[in-house]
Amino acid sequence: MRKRANNYYSLTCKKLAFFTVLAVVIQIIGLSLFILGFFPVKPTLSGMSGLESFYPLGFDSTDLAQNTSALPPEKLKSLYQVIDGLPAEFVIGKDGKPPPEVLKKAMPYTQSILAKGLAVGYHAKAAPPTVTMPRLKAMVSGALGGFLDVATNFNTQAFLDDNLIAQFLRIGWKMVMLGDETWLKLFPDMFARHDGVNSFFVKDTIQVDYNVSRHLTTELSSTDWDLLILHYLGLDHVGHIGGRSSNLMGPKLMEMDEVIKRIHSSIMQTQETKQKRTLLMVVSDHGMTEGGNHGGSSYEETDSLALFVSGQKFSDSESRKEVYQVDMASTLALLFGVPIPKNNIGTVIRDVFTSLKDEQQLRILELNSWQLLRLLQTHLNELGCGRFSCKSERGQNYGPERLCCSYLDATALHESWKSKRLLRSVHGDDYRSAVLGYLEFLGTTSKWLSSRSTDKPIGLLVSGVAALLLSCLGLMTLTFLFTREVNFKGSRDISHTDNNIWKWHLEENFVLAVIFILILSMGSSSMIEEEQYIWHYMTSSLYLILLRKTIQSMKNGCTLTLTAEQRKIRFHHIYYIVAVLVSGRILRGWHQGGVNWSYLPDIAKLLEQAGTAHIKSLQLLSMFLVITICLAVLLSLGLRTRVSMLLVLVYLFPVLLILKQILRLQDSTFGSLSVRSTTMIQIIYAFLGTSSAGILLGTPWLMPLQNPKTLSSEVSHESPSKLPFDGFKDSLCVIGWGYMFSWCLLQMLLQQPINSVPVSLLLLQVVASIHYFSGGNLRHKQWVEVAALYYVGMAGHFGLGNTNTLATVDVAGAFIGISSHSTIISGILMFIITYASPMLALLSTLMSVCANDVRTVSNSQDVDFGYLLKTTVGYPCLVPLGLNSILLLAYTIVLLGMRNHLFIWSVFSPKFLYVCATTVCVYVGVSIVALTATYTCIVFATRSTLKGSCRDRLTER
């Protein structure tokens, strides 16, 4: 009967590995299907706009009499200056108020031409994601790209849709580009001259702009270009490094103001001596948060600048008005007499054309309306507007039919105005009515098109969700079967009653309740923005429950009946939990994350106000704390002195190099890293990688098959085949320790200095958690331990300042130690920085496994290395995969239901990208743990076999 039960619960190591990998593969397939279906490409018109753009739909343009553009191109030149990351409020203020005095003093010339009416500025609202490449596309094409453009921002491809650059080239313009090489990647072979600079070395704030300005004198005196594009990156880099309030922000604004002054002075001189007129347009691709980052949808990130500067006064044009960034394409197209790009959804900025006559202004609105109407027809299945009954459509919400009626009303008013030419002077109301009619059509159509995308293929989405559901059920089933087997063997092999093994405790119920609470919060956009509070409070609550259980065990066990050693262990458990709780509270207050309360003071803001000297002192203190914790853990492993000294020597050199780097880079991080510093950082990378790999590969071969401390006491009770389990355990301990130490040292190098303390506190939380679960008679189930570490990792993720918006991604750290741009390497470093805490928690499961007594699995007669491997990495692999699969499935279903929500692109979609990235993090962490344990197990099996063969040969002799 016992044998039948054993076979019933048997889940071999090979079966467990096979079905786990199969479930993960199905999950990847399902996630890929959902992503392909959820992020479709908006319908676009192929080809380029031609002369047909100047005629209404259905007009035979074969007999073209004249080009009716607004202004003849031969009388205009353009100079297009992009200041990357410049918030509009820095130049034209906010909420109808001028910018702060300190900013006005930083750009005195720009403020003077605004005051004189020689410039007019706008808040050009950018659409998320607020990163450079999609925003440049929007400015030159007037179209909004897909949300996943944020992923291709680091690997830009040629832009093939209709755009202004292609239109200018088509009419023979000669164009010059200086600055961000993104332009060269988007528009290859279109510029007569160019000098591109890499935009991703955010540590460089000086050379990156000097490479642009050094050409100014030559280009401004040259007469052979029609369009000159200058893309300055330094201000954006200053923001990434030091935020809006950086000490370098003022000098950088002064530098940009001087550039504007030089260009405008040249425009004024050219206008006095030549017939051609030149327009200077100063724009920014996006704004920045207080921390200097961007990518999300907050006002600070979407507040970009559009500043028109000329040699003549603008008529009654008031600055500080709000337009949309996509409006620039249609405005510039009509200014320079080229067709509006086919996929433009923007509307002309009327104030720029106020100097034109009434009929010219109506003509501009008409051309913009025709272009939008052509784009609108892609949503009408080729039906014409004339086929709708407008009387029945007027009361409906704005759809394609109602928009058509709005267009027909505008054209009717326009025709009525033109038919009254002789009485035009006394029929001003007709002109205003025609203008208002066009503006209503343009505004509503632009808004409708901007929110419109192709119908998401529901079949693809449902298939993706079904695959994710199948994967989740598979992982949960494997976890259930594995848990049942562990409980069955535990009730058979250890001296506990079956009731205690199978009983569910409060902490176990709470672990599952946390997942349920997280799922409920996913339907609220506000809770997604403030998710950090859920992780912080739920993790603290879990450890308070564990504290309560520890104290109760001391009372229930009757302190008088406990030995001195047992009382000492229980008190140590209390100290460990208190350390976790105190560290967690500090982490929660370190960064005031999220969106709604990010302006509130926190520890990081107070330290930044105190100065870099305090931050540097804390950084050094944190480094010593990390070293101390790791040395204490190493001593607690009970290894031989020689082994411990060897491990210390392995990490001595990289530790000294990191300390030297911290001492050297005080304020120099605001400038470009020297070649010497870059080389040193690359050496540190090499040493940390080599140390981790060396410990992984060498430890299983060098570690004794049995622990000498247990050999003397157990050799008479254990058969020789059982002894290698001690060496296996010790090897995993050493390898896990090496992973954790290397990872923390790497974070001390890559993270912002202000985050050095949180990194050390995270390490303290992880080590304290492992020690709490490793000793005593509380008998926590191992899956609870792994889940607790997973929760600590997720809470720490937000404790490092991460949120569910793209703006908090640390771009600056992704280029530390890189001498030449590499999208892959920078992406890996960015991932390492962002997921520092979850990965540390996953890697620490190796230490948590070996901290438990693995020798208990050897009591059964049928134990082998396969069973040892399964019991070692079963929970560390299944629990993170299972928890993540539940959250991934739940959020995918939520996203499917919210696909038409107002905040789908600003809140829910960025969160989905983080969910996908977290899934990748779990895959990587679990793979490292599984492969490490598998390699170690194979080595010990090989060594055990070789030792047994040698023993047999000696016996035969």
Side-chain angles (χ1 to χ4, degrees):
M1 190 71 181
R2 176 65 61 87
K3 184 176 181 181
R4 177 181 295 180
N6 188 29
N7 291 335
Y8 177 77
Y9 288 110
S10 178
L11 182 64
T12 65
C13 184
K14 291 182 179 179
K15 289 181 180 179
L16 180 63
F18 173 77
F19 286 113
T20 301
V21 172
L22 179 61
V24 170
V25 171
I26 294 175
Q27 188 176 84
I28 294 174
I29 293 174
L31 187 58
S32 301
L33 291 175
F34 189 86
I35 291 174
L36 290 175
F38 192 81
F39 296 105
V41 179
K42 293 187 178 183
T44 59
L45 296 172
S46 59
M48 293 181 61
S49 296
L51 293 179
E52 73 278 359
S53 302
F54 299 104
Y55 293 87
L57 276 72
F59 187 87
D60 186 4
S61 58
T62 56
D63 184 20
L64 301 178
Q66 58 179 355
N67 185 333
T68 52
S69 58
L71 292 174
E74 65 273 6
K75 292 187 178 181
L76 280 170
K77 291 182 68 175
S78 175
L79 199 148
Y80 198 73
Q81 182 185 6
V82 181
I83 303 178
D84 204 301
L86 176 63
E89 63 180 287
F90 279 20
V91 180
I92 56 178
K94 180 181 178 182
D95 297 330
K97 299 178 182 179
E101 196 65 28
V102 63
L103 295 177
K104 292 175 69 174
K105 291 181 179 179
M107 303 190 75
Y109 188 82
T110 305
Q111 295 299 324
S112 68
I113 57 177
L114 280 168
K116 295 175 183 177
L118 296 175
V120 56
Y122 300 93
H123 294 270
K125 185 176 180 180
T130 46
V131 291
T132 297
M133 188 269 288
R135 302 282 54 82
L136 294 184
K137 285 184 177 180
M139 285 190 283
V140 299
S141 70
L144 294 178
F147 186 83
L148 288 184
D149 273 346
V150 67
T152 59
N153 185 59
F154 298 95
N155 188 25
T156 306
Q157 304 296 323
F159 187 41
L160 302 179
D161 290 352
D162 194 5
N163 60 83
L164 289 178
I165 303 300
Q167 290 285 358
F168 290 152
L169 183 68
R170 188 178 185 182
I171 63 173
W173 273 25
K174 187 174 183 179
M175 295 174 286
V176 179
M177 199 293 299
L178 307 172
D180 188 353
E181 64 180 10
T182 303
W183 290 91
L184 302 179
K185 296 178 180 179
L186 286 173
F187 311 107
D189 304 322
M190 291 191 181
F191 297 102
R193 291 190 300 274
H194 57 80
D195 185 7
V197 295
N198 194 287
S199 61
F200 296 112
F201 285 105
V202 295
K203 295 294 184 180
D204 177 16
T205 64
I206 301 173
Q207 191 67 33
V208 71
D209 285 345
Y210 171 76
N211 287 338
V212 179
S213 296
R214 64 177 178 169
H215 298 285
L216 263 185
T217 302
T218 303
E219 294 297 343
L220 291 178
S221 61
S222 176
T223 59
D224 65 338
W225 54 262
D226 298 287
L227 175 67
L228 174 61
I229 298 176
L230 310 174
H231 192 139
Y232 286 91
L233 293 162
L235 188 137
D236 179 68
H237 292 185
V238 168
H240 277 298
I241 297 172
R244 285 191 173 204
S245 303
S246 168
N247 293 331
L248 291 181
M249 188 61 73
K252 181 56 67 175
L253 288 173
M254 292 180 182
E255 181 184 344
M256 294 297 98
D257 187 64
E258 184 62 28
V259 171
I260 295 174
K261 179 179 179 180
R262 290 179 60 184
I263 297 173
H264 189 247
S265 299
S266 175
I267 291 175
M268 299 294 287
Q269 293 175 2
T270 304
Q271 185 171 304
E272 294 175 359
T273 58
K274 300 179 181 179
Q275 296 298 321
K276 290 186 177 181
R277 296 160 56 189
T278 302
L279 171 69
L280 167 62
M281 190 171 183
V282 183
V283 300
S284 58
D285 49 355
H286 51 73
M288 65 174 67
T289 63
E290 284 298 325
N293 293 316
H294 55 86
S297 59
S298 67
Y299 174 84
E300 290 77 11
E301 296 164 89
T302 60
D303 182 36
S304 63
L305 174 69
L307 183 69
F308 294 84
V309 184
S310 178
Q312 297 179 341
K313 282 189 176 182
F314 289 87
S315 8
D316 300 328
S317 293
E318 182 184 357
S319 292
R320 299 189 291 274
K321 291 183 179 180
E322 184 172 296
V323 296
Y324 290 93
Q325 196 176 61
V326 291
D327 296 342
M328 296 183 197
S330 55
T331 303
L332 290 176
L334 293 173
L335 270 175
F336 297 117
V338 297
I340 300 174
K342 279 190 173 184
N343 299 300
N344 165 73
I345 64 170
T347 63
V348 292
I349 304 175
R350 278 193 68 228
D351 293 340
V352 179
F353 301 94
T354 52
S355 60
L356 300 181
K357 297 179 181 180
D358 290 351
E359 58 266 24
Q360 290 177 311
Q361 294 196 42
L362 282 175
R363 176 59 172 165
I364 287 171
L365 296 174
E366 184 181 48
L367 291 174
N368 198 178
S369 299
W370 288 347
Q371 180 268 319
L372 286 182
L373 188 62
R374 287 186 174 88
L375 187 59
L376 182 64
Q377 277 197 314
T378 61
H379 299 273
L380 299 178
N381 298 322
E382 303 302 327
L383 293 178
C385 279
R387 302 190 182 187
F388 298 111
S389 175
C390 289
K391 291 184 179 179
S392 62
E393 301 288 346
R394 294 186 188 281
Q396 299 183 7
N397 294 329
Y398 279 101
E401 297 83 2
R402 181 65 188 92
L403 294 175
C404 276
C405 293
S406 177
Y407 166 76
L408 294 175
D409 290 343
T411 55
L413 291 170
H414 190 183
E415 291 298 326
S416 174
W417 178 83
K418 288 193 291 186
S419 66
K420 300 176 181 179
R421 293 180 181 273
L422 296 178
L423 301 176
R424 189 175 303 167
S425 59
V426 294
H427 285 81
D429 291 342
D430 291 337
Y431 170 75
R432 286 190 291 272
S433 298
V435 170
L436 291 176
Y438 275 127
L439 291 179
E440 180 185 6
F441 168 73
L442 291 172
T444 54
T445 303
S446 176
K447 184 177 180 180
W448 188 85
L449 288 172
S450 65
S451 61
R452 176 73 175 174
S453 81
T454 55
D455 293 333
K456 299 178 177 65
I458 193 66
L460 202 59
L461 296 177
V462 172
S463 299
V465 172
L468 292 175
L469 176 61
L470 179 62
S471 172
C472 182
L473 291 176
L475 289 171
M476 290 298 98
T477 301
L478 289 173
T479 305
F480 173 75
L481 293 176
F482 182 74
T483 301
R484 191 162 62 172
E485 179 178 347
V486 169
N487 290 342
F488 174 78
K489 290 197 177 285
S491 63
R492 187 183 67 178
D493 294 336
I494 64 176
S495 57
H496 278 256
T497 64
D498 291 351
N499 183 49
N500 191 48
I501 289 294
W502 293 95
K503 182 180 178 181
W504 278 72
H505 301 281
L506 178 60
E507 68 272 14
E508 297 163 16
N509 293 314
F510 188 79
V511 166
L512 300 183
V514 172
I515 299 299
F516 182 72
I517 292 172
L518 283 167
I519 293 174
L520 290 179
S521 70
M522 290 176 178
S524 168
S525 60
S526 297
M527 292 304 296
I528 289 176
E529 292 175 335
E530 309 298 334
E531 185 183 351
Q532 71 277 1
Y533 293 116
I534 298 178
W535 284 111
H536 285 306
Y537 285 120
M538 293 299 102
T539 303
S540 298
S541 299
L542 174 60
Y543 277 85
L544 285 173
I545 292 175
L546 296 176
L547 178 62
R548 171 182 172 273
K549 182 175 183 178
T550 304
I551 296 175
Q552 279 186 337
S553 68
M554 295 178 65
K555 294 181 179 179
N556 296 338
C558 186
T559 308
L560 296 177
T561 63
L562 295 176
T563 65
E565 185 64 24
Q566 289 176 329
R567 286 197 298 270
K568 181 179 178 181
I569 292 176
R570 297 295 171 87
F571 279 114
H572 282 175
H573 285 168
I574 295 177
Y575 299 152
Y576 293 143
I577 295 181
V578 170
V580 173
L581 292 173
V582 172
S583 300
R585 184 61 187 88
I586 297 175
L587 283 171
R588 188 171 73 83
W590 199 266
H591 289 284
Q592 192 67 46
V595 175
N596 299 317
W597 317 111
S598 58
Y599 64 90
L600 294 177
D602 53 38
I603 299 175
K605 292 188 182 74
L606 294 176
L607 288 173
E608 288 172 348
Q609 294 174 1
T612 56
H614 294 79
I615 298 176
K616 191 61 57 178
S617 300
L618 287 176
Q619 191 176 12
L620 291 172
L621 180 63
S622 301
M623 184 66 181
F624 285 115
L625 181 59
V626 168
I627 296 172
T628 302
I629 293 175
C630 289
L631 288 178
V633 172
L634 181 62
L635 293 175
S636 68
L637 297 181
L639 302 175
R640 292 178 177 179
T641 305
R642 293 179 180 177
V643 176
S644 299
M645 290 300 297
L646 178 61
L647 292 173
V648 170
L649 291 176
V650 166
Y651 283 99
L652 179 61
F653 190 59
V655 164
L656 293 177
L657 287 180
I658 294 175
L659 287 173
K660 183 178 180 181
Q661 190 72 7
I662 292 175
L663 292 172
R664 173 187 294 180
L665 299 178
Q666 294 190 7
D667 291 342
S668 60
T669 54
F670 290 97
S672 58
L673 288 174
S674 65
V675 176
R676 185 177 179 182
S677 297
T678 300
T679 303
M680 180 183 294
I681 294 173
Q682 291 174 350
I683 293 174
I684 296 174
Y685 290 160
F687 266 100
L688 291 178
T690 303
S691 300
S692 300
I695 292 176
L696 168 63
L697 297 175
T699 301
W701 293 102
L702 300 177
M703 191 66 63
L705 288 176
Q706 62 279 338
N707 192 324
K709 295 181 180 180
T710 61
L711 178 61
S712 58
S713 61
E714 298 178 5
V715 70
S716 60
H717 305 286
E718 297 279 359
S719 62
S721 62
K722 305 295 194 322
L723 295 179
F725 293 126
D726 284 325
F728 177 79
K729 167 188 171 181
D730 293 339
S731 295
L732 287 183
C733 278
V734 173
I735 297 172
W737 174 85
Y739 284 165
M740 292 173 59
F741 195 16
S742 297
W743 187 258
C744 288
L745 290 178
L746 182 61
Q747 296 303 324
M748 297 301 291
L749 182 66
L750 293 178
Q751 292 283 345
Q752 296 181 6
I754 199 67
N755 276 343
S756 57
V757 173
V759 169
S760 61
L761 293 178
L762 283 170
L763 178 62
L764 178 61
Q765 282 189 309
V766 168
V767 171
S769 298
I770 293 173
H771 279 78
Y772 169 77
F773 287 107
S774 64
N777 298 317
L778 295 177
R779 295 291 179 182
H780 296 288
K781 293 185 175 65
Q782 191 184 357
W783 68 268
V784 176
E785 175 184 355
V786 177
L789 287 172
Y790 183 83
Y791 291 172
V792 167
M794 291 305 300
H797 172 70
F798 294 99
L800 287 172
N802 296 296
T803 65
N804 286 326
T805 66
L806 300 177
T808 52
V809 176
D810 185 7
V811 179
F815 301 93
I816 295 178
I818 300 180
S819 55
S820 60
H821 174 63
S822 171
T823 302
I824 296 177
I825 296 177
S826 298
I828 292 174
L829 290 177
M830 195 179 302
F831 181 84
I832 289 174
I833 295 170
T834 305
Y835 285 91
S837 179
M839 188 61 72
L840 175 63
L842 292 170
L843 295 177
S844 69
T845 55
L846 277 177
M847 285 285 294
S848 68
V849 166
C850 72
N852 294 292
D853 192 1
V854 293
R855 286 179 293 111
T856 58
V857 303
S858 63
N859 293 333
S860 302
Q861 295 298 321
D862 58 348
V863 72
D864 57 11
F865 279 100
Y867 180 76
L868 175 64
L869 179 62
K870 180 182 66 175
T871 55
T872 300
V873 298
Y875 280 131
C877 292
L878 289 175
V879 172
L881 287 172
L883 293 176
N884 182 75
S885 68
I886 296 174
L887 297 178
L888 176 62
L889 173 63
Y891 193 74
T892 303
I893 295 174
V894 169
L895 198 65
L896 181 61
M898 296 289 183
R899 63 188 183 276
N900 295 319
H901 194 278
L902 179 63
F903 298 142
I904 185 63
W905 302 120
S906 58
V907 177
F908 291 98
S909 293
K911 165 63 178 175
F912 183 62
L913 294 184
Y914 276 102
V915 171
C916 294
T918 303
T919 302
V920 174
C921 176
V922 172
Y923 289 163
V924 174
V926 166
S927 298
I928 292 174
V929 171
L931 293 175
T932 298
T934 302
Y935 169 77
T936 305
C937 192
I938 291 174
V939 171
F940 271 89
T942 303
R943 292 178 62 192
S944 180
T945 302
L946 292 176
K947 183 177 180 180
S949 300
C950 293
R951 185 170 53 243
D952 293 339
R953 291 177 183 176
L954 292 175
T955 303
E956 292 175 358
R957 292 181 181 178

